[in-house]
Amino acid sequence: VEIFYSSDPQPPDSSAPSHPDPGPSDPSPSGPSTSTPDPSAPSPSAPSPSAPGPSALSPTTGGKIIVHPTSHDMVRWSLLFYCCLAHPSVMFRREAALDAGGYSSTEAPHAEDYALWLRMAGLSIPKEGRLCNLGDVLLRLRKHDSNVSTANRQVQIESTKEASFSAAKRLLRGQVPESALRSEAILALQSPMKATACDQLADAMQLLLALKDLAIFKPQGPSTVAQPSSAVADDAKGRAGELATLAISRFQGDSESMRVWRMWLNSEGSSESGKDQHQGLRTLFAALRT
């Protein structure tokens, strides 16, 4: 996707195509982002997904580059944090969309596409299609003040939050204490810098580690059933590190910051790769605590 910005609602030249606004697909991902195409992206011979779209936003003058995940596993995981499918670029099977409930203007006003992707991915309802992004630049997207998403930005933000919060609560109910499934914790999970108290980061860490271990994010097959996909595990590790770092830097001395670090240290130490660093991290944590 080629994205550029203009103060004029008209294209700067007659050759520039006009496209619908992407709604909540407006590229503003939260948390760690992928800088290169996912190596597990489907090949032409792989089973075709229900909804594919391009993965990258590349600039003209004043533009910026954002790379979306390409594989089904990472698209489904990332949808819990932001809308990683650019709406104007998506093609899907009509039957798959209708089977997931289709677009609904009442469910998520000005975020109808995002709500549909959550359903098609099996995150907000017990169904699952396969979604991916292509690694090619196939869409030129123009942003200006007359875009529908710009004019209705606040409504769109609230609708996107409600849809993602509902999906997270559905997936995690029964997996974590009900007290952790509060909106403030889910918001801190998606946008850690928006946390206003350390207990929100602590609950967000608990939600993140529980999400990573859900069966829906694990590859199928007897040899890998105990582990999430490597891309999901790596992304979760980066997000956990961000929560831990933020807790100790912004809320140093708060007892909840120690809880965040303990959860992070335990999750790192539970893997073979983390055992070598585990003792050193515990020493650092003890020093920071004193």
Side-chain angles (χ1 to χ4, degrees):
V1 181
E2 183 177 29
I3 186 168
F4 64 99
Y5 301 86
S6 171
S7 59
D8 186 349
Q10 297 301 317
D13 59 72
S14 59
S15 63
S18 177
H19 300 286
D21 186 80
S25 303
D26 183 27
S28 52
S30 165
S33 62
T34 305
S35 59
T36 57
D38 192 324
S40 57
S43 65
S45 60
S48 58
S50 301
S55 66
L57 300 176
S58 44
T60 57
T61 303
K64 60 182 178 180
I65 297 175
I66 295 178
V67 180
H68 290 312
T70 53
S71 71
H72 166 64
D73 287 342
M74 274 305 295
V75 167
R76 182 168 53 180
W77 169 260
S78 299
L79 280 170
L80 289 170
F81 302 94
Y82 73 103
C83 188
C84 58
L85 294 168
H87 193 197
S89 71
V90 172
M91 294 191 298
F92 53 72
R93 294 190 181 92
R94 183 174 184 272
E95 314 85 72
L98 291 177
D99 190 47
Y103 290 105
S104 171
S105 59
T106 57
E107 179 187 5
H110 298 295
E112 298 90 345
D113 59 328
Y114 181 51
L116 177 57
W117 312 150
L118 289 171
R119 281 184 266 116
M120 291 181 73
L123 298 174
S124 56
I125 60 173
K127 290 182 179 291
E128 183 187 338
R130 293 191 63 82
L131 300 93
C132 73
N133 278 307
L134 305 178
D136 303 304
V137 179
L138 301 173
L139 170 70
R140 190 180 194 202
L141 178 64
R142 181 171 51 89
K143 299 294 293 180
H144 54 78
D145 290 342
S146 297
N147 284 137
V148 172
S149 62
T150 303
N152 300 278
R153 188 62 176 168
Q154 195 55 45
V155 174
Q156 185 185 84
I157 289 172
E158 293 304 316
S159 293
T160 301
K161 274 203 244 179
E162 185 175 344
S164 62
F165 287 7
S166 176
K169 288 176 180 178
R170 173 188 167 270
L171 291 171
L172 290 170
R173 187 152 281 125
Q175 306 295 319
V176 297
E178 195 69 23
S179 59
L181 289 173
R182 51 188 176 127
S183 298
E184 295 86 354
I186 300 175
L187 181 60
L189 171 65
Q190 296 173 334
S191 304
M193 288 298 296
K194 293 184 179 179
T196 57
C198 197
D199 65 326
Q200 297 169 9
L201 295 176
D203 285 344
M205 180 72 84
Q206 191 173 8
L207 299 181
L208 176 66
L209 298 179
L211 278 173
K212 175 178 67 72
D213 289 335
L214 291 177
I216 191 174
F217 296 119
K218 295 175 181 176
Q220 300 301 309
S223 63
T224 56
V225 70
Q227 297 294 331
S229 73
S230 59
V232 169
D234 288 345
D235 188 82
K237 182 177 180 179
R239 291 178 185 277
E242 181 183 7
L243 289 170
T245 302
L246 195 58
I248 206 67
S249 62
R250 286 184 61 189
F251 302 100
Q252 189 171 3
D254 190 310
S255 62
E256 288 296 304
S257 69
M258 300 177 190
R259 184 160 77 97
V260 175
W261 269 64
R262 277 194 294 269
M263 284 189 283
W264 180 58
L265 289 172
N266 288 336
S267 69
E268 287 290 292
S270 65
S271 66
E272 287 299 321
S273 62
K275 288 179 180 177
D276 293 339
Q277 304 175 24
H278 195 46
Q279 187 55 47
L281 289 170
R282 283 193 176 280
T283 302
L284 173 61
F285 176 59
L288 288 170
R289 185 171 53 185
T290 57

